[in-house]
Amino acid sequence: MSAAAKDAIVTAANVTKRFGELRALNDVSLTIAPGAVQCIIGPSGSGKSTLLRCINQLEKIDQGAIWVDGELIGYRIKGDELHELSDAEIARQRLATGMVFQRFNLFNHMTVLENIIEGPVTVLKRPRQEAVAEAEKLLARVGLSEKRNSYPIELSGGQQQRIAIARALAMKPKLMLFDEPTSALDPELVGEVLAVMRDLAASGMTMIVVTHELGFAREVASDVIFMDKGEIVERGHPQQVLVAPQQARTRDFIAAVLK
């Protein structure tokens, strides 16, 4: 592992993930520095979401290795051998990352406030009063203080997604993963979620964002990856990848999205 990789929040080395005969990820390597906003674009089935799920250990990789905040995930090295971690050890490692999905996955029987404090109180064993105070700060940050006692069914999709972001932040992760967080929203609700993500990026949070929102990627990303067929086809500064891509596959995808 290089010095740059040791300082990185995420390092993936030659990662391969198969689903039967399909190689969802094929020899993928990347390094993400602290504070970076890494946007990943590409067509459906290109491996974008699978990469996030492997980083968050929702999927187990078949080859290669991933480090999060300098720690090898999923395995322990003993001598020359790798030993799989227990479910409890994987759950501990997963606390370093917060993940926001396409669907909001809120607990419908809980109020907004209860959704946000559930993890800190139950998993992290924080005092309820402390968790509530932190949740109220997060609600103010996402612009939804007045919804603390509402239930998810009473909220718009955009509001539910902002609560999902607040809930992930309540666990104080070092890395935030966003899997197409606006794809399930009506167009008029996309902006309010992207505004929260812009604020989060400006605060210095390390983020990996799978998105089709090319304007957001051009504005906020420190780096853009284009994936296709499980491989990284092109990577670079947003102005290079999104405005003057070098690869024909990247150009064709961007042209199709912008139609």
Side-chain angles (χ1 to χ4, degrees):
M1 201 173 174
S2 69
K6 284 181 181 177
D7 293 336
I9 290 291
V10 178
T11 300
N14 309 110
V15 171
T16 294
K17 171 64 183 176
R18 301 182 190 89
F19 295 103
E21 295 296 310
L22 173 69
R23 283 198 176 211
L25 297 173
N26 185 27
D27 198 32
V28 169
S29 296
L30 59 84
T31 301
I32 299 172
V37 179
Q38 176 71 71
C39 284
I40 305 177
I41 64 171
S44 297
S46 60
K48 311 181 300 296
S49 296
T50 300
L51 179 57
L52 290 195
R53 292 176 66 83
C54 288
I55 292 170
N56 204 32
Q57 300 194 72
L58 296 173
E59 298 288 354
K60 189 178 294 185
I61 63 175
D62 295 306
Q63 289 173 236
I66 300 173
W67 290 263
V68 174
D69 197 28
E71 184 176 4
L72 178 67
I73 64 169
Y75 298 90
R76 179 185 298 105
I77 300 173
K78 278 191 176 180
D80 295 330
E81 295 184 345
L82 286 177
H83 297 266
E84 288 190 16
L85 297 183
S86 67
D87 289 345
E89 289 170 313
I90 287 172
R92 176 193 60 78
Q93 287 188 332
R94 198 179 282 138
L95 292 175
T97 63
M99 189 156 179
V100 178
F101 299 87
Q102 296 178 32
R103 296 291 173 180
F104 325 118
N105 296 340
L106 298 176
F107 299 116
N108 289 324
H109 65 289
M110 293 182 178
T111 66
V112 161
L113 185 69
E114 289 167 342
N115 264 279
I116 296 172
I117 68 171
E118 174 68 15
V121 171
T122 304
V123 179
L124 301 181
K125 308 301 181 186
R126 288 183 184 147
R128 182 181 172 86
Q129 190 174 356
E130 177 186 305
V132 168
E134 178 65 21
E136 288 175 337
K137 290 179 185 175
L138 289 169
L139 281 169
R141 185 173 184 179
V142 301
L144 290 171
S145 293
E146 76 283 2
K147 300 295 185 182
R148 71 191 301 278
N149 296 318
S150 299
Y151 286 87
I153 197 171
E154 301 173 295
L155 307 178
S156 70
Q159 289 171 334
Q160 289 188 59
Q161 193 63 294
R162 283 188 278 162
I163 297 302
I165 294 171
R167 182 178 63 177
L169 291 173
M171 300 297 285
K172 299 190 182 299
K174 295 182 177 179
L175 167 71
M176 284 287 287
L177 308 175
F178 293 87
D179 187 7
E180 300 204 38
T182 61
S183 65
L185 301 179
D186 292 333
E188 66 269 20
L189 302 178
V190 169
E192 63 190 52
V193 174
L194 295 181
V196 171
M197 293 171 65
R198 285 188 190 93
D199 173 71
L200 197 55
S203 75
M205 174 62 76
T206 309
M207 300 162 60
I208 307 177
V209 184
V210 170
T211 185
H212 281 94
E213 300 290 340
L214 300 189
F216 172 82
R218 190 162 54 245
E219 177 188 347
V220 176
S222 46
D223 195 66
V224 174
I225 283 173
F226 171 70
M227 292 186 70
D228 193 22
K229 298 179 181 176
E231 298 179 346
I232 294 176
V233 174
E234 189 162 356
R235 178 176 185 174
H237 189 274
Q239 287 299 315
Q240 183 250 298
V241 176
L242 299 175
V243 178
Q246 303 299 303
Q247 301 297 320
R249 278 192 283 173
T250 314
R251 290 195 294 271
D252 290 346
F253 172 78
I254 291 172
V257 171
L258 294 177
K259 271 184 181 177

